[in-house]
């Protein structure tokens, strides 16, 4: 934004430099980074030596059904799990029955909450089916448009009922890409849709037609899930879609890693670990992975994937909705929980990997790697934390002191200071 005020953030600790510096902002971008910048800023903020980071990233969230569990004394739809199909049909009924104004109000509230939490970039999986068509996508797109200058959001059109189970979902998916969606979504081609080859083919046909990237939910477990992930990678290469496909959840990776660890894996003839072989397939396709708060399985090989050069980011997924009653679109809170759930991630290096999930890895998934980070010339999307380092930011989960979008303060102490007009 050209009308951003000149701003200086003083005494900012940047881990990459292991130094406390001042950050000067002009025209919404970082202009200079060094100690003792002369006072030119209209706005002066003092980080007091605490961590300053780029905007946090939530690479997988369902804004459209956010807060659908709220409103009663007890969370709604929070009884015994009766299976995936029941949950899917309950979701379909929710979207068929809920007024656009209610969905829009919830998206607005959660978008503001994300920003107050320091989340400035996100990817929103958004519902389509044969009944509601593209109406939910249009509602979400309209709300996010009003947040355009404070939240970078991508919309994935998500045909949750399955394009084979719900006749008309594929048409809705296609139409959604003309109605404001950016990516092709989907789920579980081998199990829910019972047609792995056909469904993956359709996803890519639609993606290619719109020159859109792909981000699909793969909940499939064990060898079936690994088969789907490898097939997805193979199709990405065949279609020239290297680095344009994300597998969300990918529970099967945790299953495979755990099997390897327990010595249950069957090495192939070469004696190689099957997860290592799969990683080569994923690497060839530059397939990206997003694991999620509340659904990350024990053994998820975050460290192994990062160390192996594969991209793995994180999403908060649910925001108190009819699938799960938890979630606050708070990336730091999510990493605090992951540090408890995943073995070996409470160490400084483990917490460092969790930090990558919600920063640099997320930027790569969202295709923002070239403009992400605190360097001269990058957009001044900054989070001034209250804590000394990424590790403490996760452990303490303190509300950010300031959140800046393109140099403008949009939240202070966990509260939005500048909400968009409705
Ligand atoms: Zn999801």
């Amino acid at each position: 934004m050209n009308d951003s005020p000149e701003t200086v953030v003083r005494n900012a600790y940047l881990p990459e430099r292991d130094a406390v510096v001042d950050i000067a902002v002009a025209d919404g971008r970082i202009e200079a980074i060094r100690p003792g910048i002369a006072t030119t800023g209209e706005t002066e903020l003092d980080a007091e030596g605490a961590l300053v980071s780029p905007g946090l990233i939530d690479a997988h969230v369902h804004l459209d059904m956010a807060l659908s569990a709220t409103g009663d004394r007890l969370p709604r739809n929070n009884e015994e799990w009766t299976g995936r199909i029941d949950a899917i049909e309950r979701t379909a009924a929710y979207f068929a029955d809920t007024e656009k104004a209610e969905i829009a109000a919830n998206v607005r509230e959660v978008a503001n909450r994300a920003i107050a939490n320091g989340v400035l970039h996100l990817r929103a999986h958004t519902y389509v089916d044969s009944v509601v068509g593209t109406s939910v996508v249009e509602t979400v797109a309209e709300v996010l448009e009003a947040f355009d200058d404070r939240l970078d959001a991508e919309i994935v059109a998500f045909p949750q009922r399955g394009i084979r189970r719900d006749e008309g979902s594929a048409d809705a998916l296609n139409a959604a890409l003309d109605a404001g969606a950016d990516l092709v979504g989907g789920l579980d081609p081998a199990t829910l849709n019972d047609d792995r080859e056909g469904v993956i083919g359709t996803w890519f046909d639609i993606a290619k037609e719109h020159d859109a990237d792909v981000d699909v939910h793969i909940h499939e477990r064990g060898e079936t899930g690994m088969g789907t992930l490898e097939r997805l990678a193979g199709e990405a290469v065949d279609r020239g879609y290297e680095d344009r496909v994300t597998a969300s959840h990918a529970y099967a990776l945790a299953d495979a890693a755990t099997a390897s660890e327990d010595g249950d894996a069957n090495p192939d003839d070469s004696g190689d670990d099957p997860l290592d072989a799969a990683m080569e397939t994923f690497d060839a396709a530059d397939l990206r992975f997003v694991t999620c708060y509340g659904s990350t399985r024990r053994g998820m090989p975050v460290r192994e994937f990062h160390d192996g050069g594969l991209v793995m980011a994180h999403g908060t997924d649910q925001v108190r909705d009819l699938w799960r009653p938890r979630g606050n679109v708070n990336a730091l809170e999510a990493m605090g929980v992951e540090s408890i759930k995943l073995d070996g991630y409470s160490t400084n290096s483990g917490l460092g990997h969790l930090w990558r999930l919600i920063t640099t890895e997320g930027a790569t998934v969202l295709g923002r790697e070239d403009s992400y980070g605190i360097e001269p010339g990058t957009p001044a999307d900054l989070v001034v934390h209250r804590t000394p380092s990424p590790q403490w930011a996760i452990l303490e989960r303190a509300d950010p002191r300031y959140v800046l979008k393109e140099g403008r303060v949009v939240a202070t102490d966990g509260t939005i200071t500048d909400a968009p007009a409705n």
Side-chain angles (χ1 to χ4, degrees):
M1 273 175 60
N2 292 326
D3 57 350
S4 291
E6 302 280 311
T7 302
V8 178
V9 180
R10 297 218 175 275
N11 304 309
Y13 176 70
L14 302 183
E16 318 77 82
R17 297 175 183 231
D18 193 21
V20 174
V21 292
D22 295 346
I23 303 170
V25 176
D27 292 332
R29 291 184 176 267
I30 294 170
E31 189 179 57
I33 304 169
R34 60 172 187 272
I37 291 177
T39 304
T40 56
E42 275 179 40
T43 306
E44 291 231 9
L45 306 171
D46 193 348
E48 297 178 14
L51 170 70
V52 175
S53 77
L56 305 178
I57 294 181
D58 191 334
H60 182 126
V61 61
H62 295 260
L63 298 179
D64 54 358
M65 59 175 161
L67 308 183
S68 52
T70 64
D72 291 343
R73 188 170 294 279
L74 294 177
R76 283 190 264 172
N77 295 299
N78 192 32
E79 308 305 328
E80 294 303 312
W81 174 250
T82 51
R84 182 175 57 173
I85 299 295
D86 281 356
I88 287 172
E89 292 312 321
R90 210 165 56 216
T91 310
Y94 172 76
F95 284 116
D97 296 344
T98 306
E99 296 289 332
K100 174 185 168 165
E102 185 178 337
I103 293 173
N106 289 342
V107 174
R108 213 173 280 125
E109 183 175 334
V110 174
N112 276 319
R113 175 81 352 235
I115 295 165
N117 291 337
V119 172
L120 295 178
H121 318 280
L122 58 80
R123 179 176 280 181
H125 290 257
T126 307
Y127 191 83
V128 297
D129 74 5
S130 62
V131 176
V132 301
T134 61
S135 66
V136 179
V137 165
E138 288 167 47
T139 300
V140 172
E142 202 176 295
V143 173
L144 292 176
E145 180 72 30
F147 281 83
D148 197 32
D149 60 353
R150 66 203 70 211
L151 179 67
D152 300 309
E154 296 183 333
I155 293 177
V156 186
F158 178 42
Q160 186 172 41
R161 291 170 76 189
I163 57 177
R164 289 290 176 275
R165 285 184 63 252
D166 174 42
E167 195 101 10
S169 257
D171 288 344
L173 172 57
N174 225 322
L177 291 154
D178 292 323
D182 305 294
L183 291 95
V184 170
L187 81 168
D188 296 346
T191 53
L192 181 76
N193 286 283
D194 203 20
D195 179 13
R196 181 191 279 153
E197 288 301 314
V199 167
I200 291 177
T202 303
W203 289 340
F204 278 87
D205 289 345
I206 295 173
K208 286 214 76 130
E209 192 180 326
H210 296 270
D211 193 22
D213 289 3
V214 175
D215 186 338
V216 287
H217 289 61
I218 307 295
H219 306 105
E220 292 167 351
R221 306 295 302 263
E223 286 180 20
T224 303
M226 286 303 280
T228 294
L229 293 172
E230 292 184 78
R231 189 67 204 88
L232 201 56
E235 192 74 7
V237 171
D238 290 348
R239 303 280 192 132
Y241 254 54
E242 292 91 344
D243 85 11
R244 298 188 66 178
V245 181
T246 301
S248 282
H249 297 298
Y251 295 159
L253 299 179
D255 297 335
T258 308
S260 298
E261 219 171 74
D262 296 346
D264 295 340
N266 294 321
D268 59 23
D269 293 341
S270 64
D272 289 339
D273 187 313
L275 187 60
D276 287 343
M279 284 172 70
E280 283 178 30
T281 305
F282 302 148
D283 192 36
D286 204 350
L287 188 66
R288 279 85 198 269
F289 297 90
V290 175
T291 188
C292 289
Y293 174 54
S295 66
T296 304
R297 291 293 186 270
R298 184 181 77 86
M300 184 57 79
V302 176
R303 180 185 275 108
E304 292 78 358
F305 271 46
H306 289 174
D307 289 349
L310 289 160
V311 176
M312 186 180 286
H314 194 277
T316 61
D317 203 5
Q318 260 76 42
V319 191
R320 284 168 276 151
D321 67 26
L322 68 172
W323 281 72
R324 289 194 184 87
R326 59 188 169 230
N328 293 305
V329 73
N330 186 329
L332 292 177
E333 174 188 277
M335 290 308 98
V337 172
E338 298 293 30
S339 76
I340 297 165
K341 282 164 56 194
L342 295 170
D343 291 338
Y345 286 83
S346 292
T347 60
N348 290 337
S349 80
L351 292 165
H353 283 284
L354 298 182
W355 178 255
R356 280 174 61 173
L357 289 176
I358 57 169
T359 55
T360 49
E361 300 283 319
T364 303
V365 167
L366 268 55
R368 312 188 66 83
E369 63 269 41
D370 293 340
S371 62
Y372 190 80
I374 301 180
E375 294 295 335
T378 59
D381 299 340
L382 302 172
V383 182
V384 180
H385 298 266
R386 293 191 162 276
T387 45
S389 61
Q391 284 77 5
W392 281 118
I394 293 170
L395 294 167
E396 288 195 28
R397 302 171 223 174
D399 287 333
R401 191 189 301 259
Y402 303 111
V403 180
L404 291 81
K405 185 74 176 104
E406 294 181 9
R408 194 161 49 97
V409 177
V410 289
T412 303
D413 294 326
T415 302
I416 288 287
T417 50
D418 178 19
N422 287 351

